[in-house]
């Protein structure tokens, strides 16, 4: 680096440099007083006691789960939607490293970071939902329920979280300045990407496969032997849309850290094209599911209308709008459509797990305020972790250690 | 574990002519072995035409399980509502709505005892990722509470909504009827079947119970509906029901297929080894292809340049 | 696993095949539409619009160039030449320009040696140091007509000149980039803010933008001396007014 700047920069401790953004501690604390941080702090201040309460007093005291409705939004939103939206990690990594679309390499790192944090907080949401979370090591090391789809998911998620964690190491090593470790970590990229795609295919589809066990409980318009395929295909669209949303927000929030000669708009248009095609195919696959079950008459019921809203409004419509907006280079419309698609994925996951599940049960489930609070808190913690990391490590920009060429 | 082995030995001794039975969860590979396992299975035939609604079964169950006595044990007003089992009561008796039997004449009130069906291929056991719920070869689906994570997938999977969860406990467990597996391992009958005064509950070998049931159904002048609920539903259950009023009036679900629920997920799980085998060559092939294209493009680009710096 | 009645199976299968064929027919034109060229040209975003700046983000650092302590930048280009310019700090420090005195084509400049002169609209001049050694091959003609470009868009349109580097690798060791450049810039800003804050009042840590001609605000009479201090061209031998 530079030896002639010794005079210009006062010597700083590692902590000041790496953790406090190079600012003296008092100044660092002052710099934290932003409206965003205040809101996040408020949410966390309310959420953490609620989480403690849940663990102290049990699920009955903090949730509206019941004997008829054993799964709620911690599974439907935090776990299912969270995992689907974290799919940007493997999607973009595949595009860059397997398909060789190098122009997207500036968004690989934030996509993988979003993926890692998405999975991490999905697992935390799951931990809040489990009745006996201290037994988490059991399906891994002690007792294996091979025929269970849940077993496969448990293994895949644990392995994939590890893979994502390893894929997140290069920016960490650049931040710490550990050159040898960086070289090693970078060499593993292709292998980790291939492993990541395999694991993602398996668990994204298996999360849908869970519901194969509930043919009498899940509404026939959503129940199909193809649920695993639906979940997998929609995870790709979810990942691409989430990357569009995240990159838009990051480029505004972290203006000073981004690489100024990267043309993000062009990349976003490319992602929109991809999302458009995937959603188009997803729409037809869902249609085939209805045909396969001979369910047409059900479309005229209350749940049928809701199904049409999901399929036409949240799948077909964004597909067409993405296509139009990409052709007209309307990046702002693309971003809105991406947010709309993200919402659609959340709607779909909640439909399958909470809304259309037990649709005909006498007792329906509405989440309690504590469940909603915990979900919001986990999302906030995830966003905060993302900001903390991006403000310190070369995720949105290139680092001199990478020789100007990010891997 | 020890209980299973003792149970197995007892059953082998009791049945007398059991061929070498493979370990608890291994599939029987020959027809002979299958027949042997099948012949070792216990079950209960519930003949609702004989049930008088005394609820002695409920009382006996709570007694052997150290649970609080059932509510309103001698008050028939309890039958006004349709109850479900819960975490402290593994079995309950409901009244069916009054209805005509197949012969058209009015029938006295009918009652139905509900509890875990101990399915032959239980959805809950195949759903359980840690084998906390485990099917034993002789019938009972038992719960190993030390393994349980509390994911409650068993509750989603069970078509009868049997497993109940201790939501109010900070260290919750799944609760359901155990088919008195410990009593069976000692050679005793389940508590409920032991106290039934009217003979509505018959405990025995499942195959024999089916024969018994058929005899009753097809006897001359029988008023039974000619269907044994649980003979084939969801692949067969250990607790089977015969009645002379429509099964829906008893609250038994009518939309279950005869396929075992475990088969629903096996197709998608079978894809796992395929993905693990086929994805790597597919992905590495695409990688190699795109790398090759890059190299070719770079070589062409370099060839065009005439000067370098 | 959904039980089918054999009669509905026939119609169901026909519908399924029908949907599949419909999809294939629709897919080809849809693919073409989606992958087609943009009907509108994507506006070039080679440099980002000036961001709203706050806190220590007054002078964002582009990460593709190397910085010299004299507040000049050098960017190695694909053709082996290097583009040189002044950074945002220098631009805002000096303020509106009347002209920029650039070296001649073919002239040699050295790292840390005076290479060009900024003449402000009040006549005072400040020199700046070259970030690398090299021979000038091209100068930015636009600056002759519109010198404001150097002040308004120092990283883009306001580039100063291009040169053929002689010792780029050796020069690079004395240059800053990436996060170290950012910290250096933050230090420079902090130093300026310590002098600025009484004068600029609200233009402090939590909001506001750096003012054009900051040096003039701090010290209207001798701003050029202040500027030269920051730009490291305050040699005693230099007797410029």
């Amino acid at each position: 680096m530079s030896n002639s700047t010794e005079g210009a920069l006062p010597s700083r401790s590692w902590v000041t440099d790496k953790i406090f953004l190079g600012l003296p501690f008092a100044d660092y604390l002052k710099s934290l007083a932003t409206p965003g941080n205040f809101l996040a702090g408020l949410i966390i201040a309310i959420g953490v006691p609620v989480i403690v309460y849940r663990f102290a007093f049990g699920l009955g005291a903090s949730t509206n789960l019941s004997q008829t409705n054993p799964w709620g939004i911690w599974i439907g939103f935090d776990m299912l939607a969270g995992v689907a939206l974290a799919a940007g990690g493997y999607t973009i990594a595949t595009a860059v490293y397997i398909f060789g679309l190098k122009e997207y390499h500036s968004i690989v790192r934030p996509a993988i970071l979003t993926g890692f944090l998405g999975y991490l907080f999905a697992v935390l949401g799951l931990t809040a939902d489990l009745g006996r979370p201290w037994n988490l090591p059991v399906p891994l090391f002690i007792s294996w329920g091979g025929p269970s789809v849940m077993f496969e998911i448990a293994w895949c998620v644990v392995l994939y979280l590890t893979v994502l964690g390893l894929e997140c190491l290069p920016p960490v090593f650049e931040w710490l300045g550990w050159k040898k470790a960086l070289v090693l970590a970078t060499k593993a990229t292709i292998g980790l990407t291939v492993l990541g795609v395999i694991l993602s295919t398996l668990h994204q589809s298996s999360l849908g496969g869970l519901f194969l066990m509930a043919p009498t409980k899940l509404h026939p318009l959503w129940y199909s032997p193809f649920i695993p395929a639906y979940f997998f295909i929609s995870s790709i669209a979810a990942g691409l849309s989430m990357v569009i949303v995240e990159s838009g927000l990051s480029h505004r929030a972290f203006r000073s850290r981004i690489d100024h000669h990267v043309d993000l708009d062009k990349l976003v248009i490319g992602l929109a094209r991809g999302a458009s095609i995937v959603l188009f195919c997803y729409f037809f696959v869902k249609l085939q599911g209805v045909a396969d079950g001979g369910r047409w008459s059900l479309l005229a019921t209350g749940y049928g209308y809701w199904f049409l809203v999901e399929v036409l409004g949240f799948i077909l419509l964004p597909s067409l709008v993405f296509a139009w907006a990409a052709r007209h280079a309307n990046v702002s419309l693309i971003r809105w459509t991406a947010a709309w698609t993200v919402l659609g994925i959340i709607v779909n996951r909640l439909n399958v797990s909470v809304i259309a599940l037990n649709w005909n049960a006498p007792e329906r489930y509405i989440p309690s305020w504590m469940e909603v609070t915990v979900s919001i808190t986990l999302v906030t913690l995830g966003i905060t972790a993302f900001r903390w990391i991006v403000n310190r490590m070369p995720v949105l920009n290139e680092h001199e250690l990478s020789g100007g060429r990010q891997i | 574990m020890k209980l299973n082995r003792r149970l197995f030995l007892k059953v082998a001794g009791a049945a007398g002519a059991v061929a070498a039975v493979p370990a608890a969860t291994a599939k029987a590979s020959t027809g002979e072995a299958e027949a042997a396992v099948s012949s070792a299975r216990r079950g209960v035939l519930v003949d609702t035409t004989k049930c008088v609604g005394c609820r002695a079964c409920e009382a006996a169950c709570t007694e052997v399980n150290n649970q609080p006595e059932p509510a309103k044990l001698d008050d028939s007003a309890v039958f006004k509502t349709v109850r479900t089992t819960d975490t402290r009561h593994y079995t309950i008796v409901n009244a069916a709505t009054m209805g005509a039997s197949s012969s058209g004449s009015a029938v006295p009130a009918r009652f139905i005892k509900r509890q875990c069906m101990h399915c032959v291929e239980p959805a809950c056991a195949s759903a359980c990722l840690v084998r906390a719920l485990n099917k034993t070869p002789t019938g009972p689906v038992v719960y190993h509470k030390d393994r349980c994570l509390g994911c409650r997938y068993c509750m989603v999977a069970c078509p009868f909504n049997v497993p109940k969860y201790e939501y109010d406990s900070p260290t919750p467990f799944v609760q359901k009827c155990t088919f008195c597996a410990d009593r069976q391992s000692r050679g005793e009958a389940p508590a409920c079947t032991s106290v039934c005064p009217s003979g509505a509950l018959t405990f025995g070998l499942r195959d024999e119970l089916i024969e018994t049931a058929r005899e009753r159904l097809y006897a001359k002048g029988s008023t039974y509906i000619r269907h044994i609920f649980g003979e084939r539903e969801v692949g067969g259950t250990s607790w089977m029901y015969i009645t002379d009023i429509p099964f829906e009036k008893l609250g038994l679900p009518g939309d279950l297929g005869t396929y075992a629920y475990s088969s629903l997920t096996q197709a998608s799980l079978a894809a796992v080894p395929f993905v693990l085998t086929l994805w790597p060559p597919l992905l590495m092939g695409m990688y190699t292809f795109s790398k090759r294209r890059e190299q070719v493009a770079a070589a062409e680009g370099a060839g065009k340049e005439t000067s370098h710096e | 696993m959904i039980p089918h009645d054999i009669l509905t199976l026939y119609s169901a299968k026909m519908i399924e095949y029908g949907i599949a064929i419909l999809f294939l027919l629709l897919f080809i034109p849809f693919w073409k539409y989606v992958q087609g060229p943009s009907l509108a040209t994507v506006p070039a975003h080679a440099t980002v619009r000036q961001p709203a700046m706050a806190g220590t983000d007054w002078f964002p650092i582009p990460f593709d160039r190397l910085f010299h302590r004299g507040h000049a930048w050098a960017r190695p280009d694909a053709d082996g030449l290097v583009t040189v310019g002044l950074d945002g700090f220098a631009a805002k420090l000096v303020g509106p320009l009347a002209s920029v005195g650039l070296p001649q084509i073919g002239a040699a400049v050295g790292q840390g040696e005076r290479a060009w002169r900024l003449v402000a609209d009040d006549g005072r001049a400040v020199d700046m140091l070259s970030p690398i050694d090299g021979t000038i091959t091209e100068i930015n003609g636009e600056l002759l007509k519109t010198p404001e470009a150097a002040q308004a868009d120092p990283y883009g349109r306001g580039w100063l000149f291009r040169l053929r580097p002689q010792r780029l690798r050796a020069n690079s060791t004395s240059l800053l980039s990436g996060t170290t450049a950012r910290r250096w810039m933050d230090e420079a800003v902090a130093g300026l803010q310590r002098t600025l804050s009484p004068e600029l009042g609200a233009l402090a840590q939590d909001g506001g933008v750096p003012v054009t001609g900051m040096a003039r605000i701090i010290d209207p009479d001798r701003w050029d001396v202040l500027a030269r201090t920051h730009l490291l061209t305050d040699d005693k031998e230099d007797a410029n007014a």
Side-chain angles (χ1 to χ4, degrees):
Chain A
M1 235 117 315
S2 165
N3 47 18
S4 59
T5 56
E6 299 299 12
L9 297 173
S11 58
R12 278 194 266 245
S13 74
W14 186 93
V15 172
T16 311
D17 209 34
K18 299 283 183 206
I19 311 288
F20 298 136
L21 300 175
L23 296 169
F25 186 60
D27 292 348
Y28 172 70
L29 283 183
K30 271 192 273 190
S31 77
L32 290 177
T34 67
N37 279 351
F38 181 70
L39 182 64
L42 187 67
I43 293 174
I44 293 173
I46 299 176
V48 170
V50 171
I51 295 176
V52 171
Y53 182 83
R54 172 258 172 279
F55 281 105
F57 294 97
L59 289 166
S62 48
T63 68
N64 279 348
L65 299 171
S66 67
Q67 307 295 1
T68 336
N69 296 297
W71 282 353
I73 59 168
W74 288 345
I75 297 290
F77 173 74
D78 289 274
M79 187 68 191
L80 296 183
V83 165
L85 294 173
Y90 84 87
T91 325
I92 304 295
T94 307
V96 172
Y97 301 127
I98 307 287
F99 297 155
L101 299 175
K102 292 278 186 280
E103 59 267 28
Y104 291 97
H105 99 325
S106 55
I107 53 173
V108 166
R109 284 191 175 182
I112 288 185
L113 182 63
T114 311
F116 175 67
L117 292 174
Y119 273 83
L120 187 64
F121 284 89
V123 168
L124 291 179
L126 176 69
T127 310
D129 182 78
L130 287 177
R132 308 178 66 79
W134 51 89
N135 270 353
L136 266 168
V138 175
L140 300 174
F141 307 116
I142 300 175
S143 182
W144 295 349
S148 166
V149 176
M150 188 71 92
F151 175 74
E152 186 234 309
I153 291 172
W155 268 95
C156 277
V157 170
V158 165
L159 289 174
Y160 187 57
L161 201 55
T162 313
V163 165
L164 276 173
L166 293 173
E167 283 182 302
C168 278
L169 285 180
V172 176
F173 291 152
E174 286 175 7
W175 175 59
L176 293 171
W178 297 355
K179 288 200 189 120
K180 287 221 181 82
L182 177 66
V183 167
L184 208 66
T186 314
K187 280 209 177 108
T189 303
I190 294 293
L192 288 175
T193 306
V194 169
L195 201 56
V197 176
I198 296 172
L199 293 169
S200 292
T201 313
L202 292 176
H203 69 255
Q204 293 283 358
S205 54
S206 292
L207 281 171
L210 286 174
F211 297 95
L212 291 172
M213 280 285 223
T216 55
K217 300 186 188 179
L218 186 56
H219 189 279
L221 280 173
W222 279 270
Y223 185 87
S224 158
F226 306 122
I227 293 181
Y230 295 166
F231 270 51
F232 177 60
I233 297 172
S234 57
S235 79
I236 301 176
L240 293 173
S241 303
M242 196 60 194
V243 170
I244 294 175
V245 169
E246 171 269 312
S247 64
L249 294 174
S250 291
H251 269 239
R252 280 230 307 268
F254 303 106
R255 271 234 125 98
S256 57
R257 296 195 65 92
I258 54 174
D259 205 342
H260 284 229
H261 71 234
V262 165
D263 190 349
L264 180 68
D265 285 356
K266 197 150 138 280
L267 298 181
V268 165
I269 291 173
L271 292 174
R273 289 193 224 262
S276 171
I277 300 281
V278 173
L279 286 167
F280 189 72
C281 299
Y282 179 40
F283 170 74
F284 274 93
V285 167
K286 286 275 253 193
L287 207 58
Q288 290 285 26
V290 174
D292 184 58
R295 312 267 192 239
W296 302 103
S297 54
L298 290 174
L299 291 175
T301 64
Y303 275 93
Y305 299 138
W306 181 235
F307 180 79
L308 286 172
V309 166
E310 183 195 311
V311 168
L312 294 174
F314 286 105
I315 303 175
L316 185 62
L317 185 65
S319 169
L320 300 175
V321 175
F322 267 137
W324 187 92
R327 278 300 288 260
H328 291 82
N330 189 336
V331 177
S332 149
L333 182 59
I334 289 178
R335 292 199 202 281
W336 280 105
T337 311
W340 184 244
T341 309
V342 166
L343 185 63
I345 299 292
I346 297 174
V347 163
N348 168 260
R349 296 303 192 259
L350 286 176
N351 277 346
V352 172
S353 60
V354 167
I355 299 175
L357 187 69
N358 284 324
W359 63 281
N360 52 4
E363 190 196 324
R364 297 308 311 273
Y365 160 82
I366 311 260
S368 69
W369 71 267
M370 285 201 235
E371 291 176 82
V372 175
T373 307
V374 171
S375 291
I376 294 177
T377 308
L378 289 174
V379 171
T380 306
L381 283 170
I383 295 176
T384 308
F386 186 85
R387 288 169 56 222
W388 194 95
I389 293 175
V390 165
N391 272 326
R392 285 158 185 75
M393 302 189 206
V395 172
L396 290 178
N397 53 270
E398 296 178 1
H399 192 273
E400 56 267 20
L401 263 190
S402 63
R405 177 158 173 68
Q406 199 178 19
I407 304 299
Chain B
M1 296 167 4
K2 227 160 108 184
L3 196 64
N4 279 349
R5 256 194 324 145
R6 274 176 57 202
L7 179 66
F8 163 71
L9 288 169
K10 282 274 164 72
V11 164
V18 175
V21 176
T25 53
K27 273 191 151 84
S29 48
T30 65
E32 224 180 65
E34 225 173 75
V37 171
S38 168
S39 70
R41 282 197 201 117
R42 299 307 182 81
V44 174
L45 179 65
V46 181
D47 190 335
T48 65
T49 64
K50 302 200 167 135
C51 179
V52 298
C54 68
R55 299 170 64 206
C57 46
E58 287 189 39
C61 178
T62 54
E63 200 189 309
V64 299
N65 286 303
N66 297 313
Q67 289 166 334
E69 222 180 57
K72 304 198 243 182
L73 208 46
D74 41 7
D75 181 3
S76 62
V78 76
F79 291 119
K80 290 212 170 83
T81 57
V82 174
R83 299 177 295 149
T84 58
T85 60
D86 59 50
T87 55
R88 311 299 290 280
H89 302 96
Y90 292 161
T91 183
I92 47 97
V93 178
N94 280 325
T97 49
M98 294 279 276
S101 74
S102 49
S103 65
S105 56
V107 292
R110 286 280 175 262
F111 301 94
I112 176 168
K113 174 183 186 295
R114 299 300 302 271
Q115 70 298 305
C116 174
M117 304 289 274
H118 296 281
C119 305
V120 169
E121 282 202 45
C124 61
S126 91
C128 183
L129 79 167
V130 288
R131 296 179 63 180
L133 285 165
N134 204 19
K135 174 74 173 175
T136 58
T138 50
V141 176
V142 295
Y143 178 61
H144 301 286
K145 58 187 207 180
D146 41 300
R147 299 178 195 162
C148 178
L149 278 149
C151 73
R152 308 186 301 286
Y153 188 27
C154 53
M155 297 172 72
V156 174
C158 178
F160 303 104
N161 287 320
V162 163
K164 298 291 184 288
Y165 206 61
E166 293 180 322
Y167 287 113
D168 295 325
S169 161
T171 58
F173 291 114
V174 170
Q175 295 287 356
K176 72 169 190 69
C177 156
T178 60
F179 207 3
C180 286
D182 47 342
R183 285 171 61 103
Q184 286 196 42
S185 70
R186 294 196 293 270
E188 296 166 20
C192 51
T193 63
S194 310
V195 302
C196 179
S198 61
L201 304 175
T202 315
F203 171 68
L205 295 175
R206 189 174 180 270
D207 289 348
E208 288 178 7
L209 291 171
I210 293 176
E211 286 307 315
T212 310
R214 290 217 182 103
E215 280 164 27
R216 293 187 204 174
L217 296 190
Y218 293 97
K220 204 143 174 267
S222 102
T223 55
Y224 289 98
I225 301 218
R226 285 185 176 168
H227 175 69
I228 306 172
F229 185 93
E231 184 186 355
R232 280 189 248 278
E233 273 81 355
V234 295
T237 61
S238 301
W239 281 71
M240 296 174 288
Y241 293 81
I242 53 177
T243 181
D244 58 356
I245 63 171
F247 284 95
E248 312 82 69
K249 295 206 190 283
L250 292 170
L252 290 169
D255 52 354
L256 305 173
T258 56
Y259 49 87
Y261 270 40
S262 50
S263 65
L264 291 169
T265 53
Q266 291 321 301
S268 93
L269 278 181
V272 171
F274 278 90
V275 171
L276 287 170
T277 317
L278 295 175
W279 258 224
L282 205 67
L283 294 166
M284 291 310 293
M286 289 195 262
Y287 169 70
T288 311
F289 175 69
S290 69
K291 261 243 139 15
R292 181 92 193 97
R293 273 213 327 203
E294 244 178 74
Q295 285 167 357
V296 167
E300 281 175 5
K304 288 205 178 99
E305 279 194 14
T306 48
S307 65
H308 295 271
E309 274 312 313
Chain C
M1 286 303 159
I2 299 154
H4 287 300
D5 141 33
I6 188 69
L7 292 174
T8 59
L9 205 54
Y10 282 86
S11 56
K13 273 296 177 248
M14 291 316 296
I15 298 175
E16 280 177 55
Y17 281 124
I19 294 177
I21 293 171
L22 177 69
F23 168 76
L24 288 170
L25 290 174
L26 291 175
F27 183 71
I28 297 167
F30 188 72
W31 177 274
K32 285 210 170 114
Y33 177 75
V34 171
Q35 302 294 4
S38 291
L39 291 178
T41 47
V42 182
H45 279 269
T47 47
V48 176
R49 307 178 288 286
Q50 283 295 347
M53 294 178 274
T56 54
D57 294 342
W58 280 12
F59 299 110
I61 301 271
F63 277 81
D64 59 345
R65 40 202 97 186
L66 308 162
F67 286 82
H68 186 261
R69 290 180 308 130
H71 289 284
W73 55 264
R75 186 190 66 206
D77 293 326
D79 58 359
L81 301 179
V82 175
T83 308
V84 169
L86 68 161
D87 71 15
F89 182 89
K92 283 285 189 253
L93 187 68
V94 173
L97 301 169
S99 69
V100 180
L102 295 170
Q104 307 248 9
I105 294 184
V109 293
Q111 183 184 55
E113 293 172 10
R114 290 158 194 271
W116 66 89
R117 171 161 299 182
L118 303 173
V119 183
D121 56 3
D122 67 355
R124 299 191 201 211
V126 173
D127 291 346
M128 289 185 67
L129 307 176
S130 170
I132 60 169
D133 302 330
T135 317
I136 311 291
T137 57
E138 187 187 346
I139 58 174
N140 185 359
E142 200 191 327
L143 290 185
L144 301 174
K145 300 189 293 281
T146 48
E148 308 87 76
Q151 189 269 318
D153 190 5
Y155 293 113
R157 287 181 311 130
W159 61 276
L160 296 173
F161 52 79
R162 303 186 76 214
L163 49 65
R164 183 176 310 287
Q166 265 133 22
R167 300 167 56 239
L168 182 56
R169 280 185 66 125
N171 289 156
S172 300
T173 57
S174 331
L175 298 177
L176 303 160
S177 70
T179 42
T180 42
R182 183 178 155 64
R183 281 203 300 278
W184 159 74
M185 185 64 89
D186 291 347
E187 268 301 305
V189 170
L192 201 62
Q193 282 175 343
R194 282 190 282 272
T195 16
L196 279 181
S197 36
E199 281 73 27
L200 293 178
L203 297 178
Q205 195 73 358
D206 42 19
V209 294
V211 168
T212 305
M214 295 186 291
R216 304 191 204 189
I217 292 181
I218 298 172
D219 191 350
D221 297 321
R222 294 167 38 118
W223 69 263
D224 51 336
V225 176
L226 176 71
R228 276 183 225 120
T229 311
H230 282 275
L231 301 176
L232 307 177
T233 50
D234 53 353
D235 283 349
K236 287 184 281 291
E237 297 100 77
D238 196 315
N240 269 340

